[in-house]
Amino acid sequence: MGTEQKATNIVWHQATVSKSEREQINGHRGATLWLTGLSGSGKSTIANILEKMLWERGVRSYVLDGDNVRHGLNKDLGFSDQDRNENIRRIGEVAKLFTEAGVMTVTAFISPFRQDRDRVREIMNDGDFIEIYVKCDLDECEKRDPKGLYKKARSGEIKEFTGISSPYEEPERAEIVLENTAKTAEQSADEILAYLESNGYLA
Ligand SMILES: Nc1ncnc2c1ncn2[C@@H]1O[C@H](COP(=O)(O)OP(=O)(O)O)[C@@H](O)[C@H]1O
Ligand SMILES: [Mg+2]
């Protein structure tokens, strides 16, 4: 799966400025807010509203979004199970770097496989990985279909589409579950902000 160590004779170099020193200067913690859910569930919409809210409070933040990352870093990857594994592995590593840099990192990827998400959780320090399930009924996602992808998946034009022809594994221990079928994206973003506040991430 490309996760084994290939190079030998490489030694970890300890950073001079620590994460907690960066956090002190920033006035908030660095963490990864990992949004997972079906296509059209609202991940990108919520991520961007949330980032605006964070930005207005002076929080250093960054959004890593599925389609954008697939244009660059992961342009060599498709949607087979193996490529999805590698897609999430690389994003997890990037999110970890941002987190170590003290940034409030918001990721918006379907990330359908539990094992892939759990692996990202494992490489992060305790409390640095906040799994957020953007829960939305398939029917509702298909009705929204902002990019016309469900239509293409139903007609067979897109293969391996999550929820239609590729599985989505719901989180079992998400820190936050957003019931996003009935709520507005603003309400969902508010809920995340409230979690960050009451758990000391923004203090
Ligand atoms: N409660 C809601 N939360 C988020 N998006 C919503 C909501 N209601 C309607 N939408 C619409 O649904 C679509 C969600 O798309 P998007 O955020 O791109 O989802 P994802 O990134 O999960 O694929 C957008 O067009 C958005 O305007
Ligand atoms: Mg999106």
Side-chain angles (χ1 to χ4, degrees):
M1 210 178 314
T3 51
E4 68 282 5
Q5 182 72 55
K6 258 193 194 163
T8 53
N9 297 317
I10 51 167
V11 179
W12 188 264
H13 187 87
Q14 205 59 42
T16 318
V17 180
S18 71
K19 180 180 185 239
S20 65
E21 284 167 324
R22 293 177 204 280
E23 289 175 335
Q24 262 171 34
I25 289 240
N26 288 349
H28 59 80
R29 284 190 56 182
T32 291
L33 299 162
W34 189 278
L35 305 183
T36 171
L38 295 171
S39 177
S41 59
K43 300 179 297 298
S44 298
T45 308
I46 294 167
N48 283 286
I49 293 171
L50 176 67
E51 181 168 49
K52 184 110 197 301
M53 290 173 169
L54 291 170
W55 196 251
E56 280 163 3
R57 288 163 173 256
V59 175
R60 281 150 179 87
S61 63
Y62 198 79
V63 175
L64 292 167
D65 197 286
D67 284 357
N68 298 2
V69 171
R70 280 185 179 277
H71 275 113
L73 176 68
N74 290 354
K75 72 199 297 185
D76 59 326
L77 301 177
F79 290 92
S80 66
D81 286 5
Q82 199 185 346
D83 280 5
R84 285 178 192 266
N85 292 147
E86 179 61 10
N87 183 46
I88 296 308
R89 189 189 72 80
R90 290 185 200 170
I91 290 153
E93 294 288 350
V94 172
K96 185 182 176 179
L97 292 175
F98 272 83
T99 298
E100 294 293 325
V103 175
M104 197 57 80
T105 314
V106 190
T107 70
F109 299 85
I110 298 172
S111 46
F113 302 134
R114 202 171 289 135
Q115 195 186 38
D116 292 347
R117 297 189 303 262
D118 285 348
R119 276 201 201 111
V120 179
R121 182 188 289 275
E122 277 159 27
I123 63 167
M124 302 246 189
N125 293 321
D126 281 351
D128 281 3
F129 181 81
I130 302 166
E131 190 173 11
I132 302 171
Y133 179 23
V134 183
K135 195 172 178 188
C136 187
D137 297 342
L138 180 63
D139 284 356
E140 173 64 20
C141 293
E142 200 162 353
K143 217 185 305 163
R144 292 179 188 169
D145 204 10
K147 300 177 207 155
L149 298 177
Y150 282 95
K151 205 174 271 172
K152 286 186 186 170
R154 289 288 183 197
S155 72
E157 195 182 324
I158 302 177
K159 311 256 180 283
E160 301 173 301
F161 194 77
T162 301
I164 307 289
S165 42
S166 185
Y168 179 80
E169 298 170 0
E170 293 193 318
E172 281 169 344
R173 46 172 179 163
E175 276 74 11
I176 306 172
V177 178
L178 300 170
E179 300 286 347
N180 202 45
T181 310
K183 274 188 208 136
T184 66
E186 285 76 13
Q187 283 172 320
S188 290
D190 274 337
E191 236 176 276
I192 299 172
L193 200 62
Y195 177 92
L196 295 177
E197 271 173 350
S198 58
N199 287 278
Y201 285 90
L202 302 183

